[in-house]
Amino acid sequence: MDSGASTTTISIYDEYGLVYTHSLAVAGDYFTREIAAGLGVSYEEAEKQKQSIGISQGVFHLLHSLETLQKEIRGACEYYRRREGKEVVQIALIGGSSKMPGFCDYIEKNIKLPIKNDFAESTDNPALGFAMRGFED
């Protein structure tokens, strides 16, 4: 799952390559706008809050977007299970929003799948770093 500033893309891969992809406009900027509206602060202040506190204390203001994201992830996993007869076994998180404090823990707890997000940050392109590192250790 690549959660950036404007979109989150859910992609499912198997041993043969990409089998499913879906993008939605629930991502970093959307989270910031929800925090700003919920707290009654400027976009800039909400961005600071998001980066420093994340969802650990601000989860109430992000409930709508996080529930939407959960629904989409579960739907993708269910689609894959029905289509391929296999279960999704792990979620790999990349993108700037995946660095928001509490985000990975929240997804792991609510989706109930292990999260992998310790990809090398030695590249400016997270997808390239992801591809170079691979899913398996």
Side-chain angles (χ1 to χ4, degrees):
M1 184 170 86
D2 183 355
S3 191
S6 59
T7 61
T8 294
T9 301
I10 301 166
S11 302
I12 299 177
Y13 293 85
D14 66 10
E15 63 272 15
Y16 304 108
L18 181 66
V19 295
Y20 175 88
T21 189
H22 175 66
S23 292
L24 59 153
V26 176
D29 290 340
Y30 190 87
F31 298 147
T32 304
R33 287 192 302 274
E34 276 200 326
I35 293 169
L39 296 177
V41 298
S42 69
Y43 182 90
E44 293 74 19
E45 179 59 30
E47 182 67 24
K48 289 178 191 173
Q49 296 253 350
K50 181 182 79 176
Q51 291 179 7
S52 63
I53 298 170
I55 65 169
S56 58
Q57 294 177 357
V59 71
F60 178 76
H61 303 295
L62 296 174
L63 277 179
H64 174 71
S65 57
L66 292 172
E67 287 172 357
T68 299
L69 197 54
Q70 287 178 54
K71 179 182 171 191
E72 295 292 336
I73 295 168
R74 285 190 185 109
C77 292
E78 178 62 20
Y79 172 81
Y80 180 70
R81 186 188 63 73
R82 283 194 324 260
R83 180 176 172 213
E84 302 295 327
K86 301 175 188 174
E87 298 291 332
V88 172
V89 297
Q90 182 179 46
I91 296 175
L93 286 178
I94 62 172
S97 293
S98 70
K99 297 174 186 171
M100 182 172 52
F103 184 74
C104 293
D105 292 338
Y106 186 88
I107 296 296
E108 185 170 39
K109 178 182 173 189
N110 288 282
I111 300 299
K112 299 183 181 4
L113 285 171
I115 298 290
K116 184 172 181 89
N117 71 331
D118 59 345
F119 299 101
E121 294 187 31
S122 60
T123 177
D124 289 336
N125 183 341
L128 179 59
F130 175 67
M132 291 187 316
R133 177 101 180 254
F135 253 121
E136 301 296 324
D137 285 342

